[in-house]
Amino acid sequence: DDTFYLTQTGLINKVLATAGMENSKATVKTPAATTPLGLNIEGDPFTESFEYPVVIGMLLYLSQNSCPDIAYAVHQCARFTHVPKHSHAVAVKRILRYLNSTKDKGM
């Protein structure tokens, strides 16, 4: 029917594996919460097993190339690459859960 869909399921699977979330449940309908992500100076430290900047880099690539729906959420998280907190990891995991539920969707 002369249509095509641009998807990057391979990269989505790779970022899910990098973050250890390949078996995550799709429990969210949007990639970001309704409130902006804050600095959270007093918040709990980042203790995840994945490297925050690596996952953010992969998400930035996806947001620019095939998943513009995650651009705002990724931008919110990318602001804290230099000193992420637990709350920022929670936001990244939300994006990953969203991607896991929409990886077969495309532009």
Side-chain angles (χ1 to χ4, degrees):
D1 62 1
D2 294 334
T3 61
F4 67 92
Y5 294 96
L6 177 61
T7 61
Q8 289 185 299
T9 55
L11 183 54
I12 291 172
N13 289 333
K14 184 176 180 179
V15 71
L16 288 168
T18 300
M21 293 193 58
E22 56 268 25
N23 296 319
S24 66
K25 294 184 180 179
T27 58
V28 295
K29 303 271 186 204
T30 60
T34 56
T35 57
L37 196 56
L39 189 57
N40 200 6
I41 295 171
E42 303 287 324
D44 293 333
F46 178 82
T47 58
E48 300 298 323
S49 61
F50 62 88
E51 293 183 47
Y52 192 86
V54 171
V55 171
I56 292 296
M58 294 170 136
L59 291 174
L60 282 168
Y61 185 86
L62 279 168
S63 72
Q64 293 298 309
N65 292 289
S66 61
C67 301
D69 51 336
I70 67 169
Y72 173 77
V74 174
H75 167 70
Q76 290 290 302
C77 295
R79 297 181 305 146
F80 306 105
T81 302
H82 62 288
V83 60
K85 297 288 186 176
H86 174 73
S87 61
H88 306 130
V90 170
V92 167
K93 287 181 175 184
R94 181 184 177 112
I95 297 168
L96 294 172
R97 284 187 189 93
Y98 173 79
L99 284 174
N100 200 14
S101 68
T102 61
K103 63 180 154 186
D104 59 335
K105 309 280 190 269
M107 291 196 319

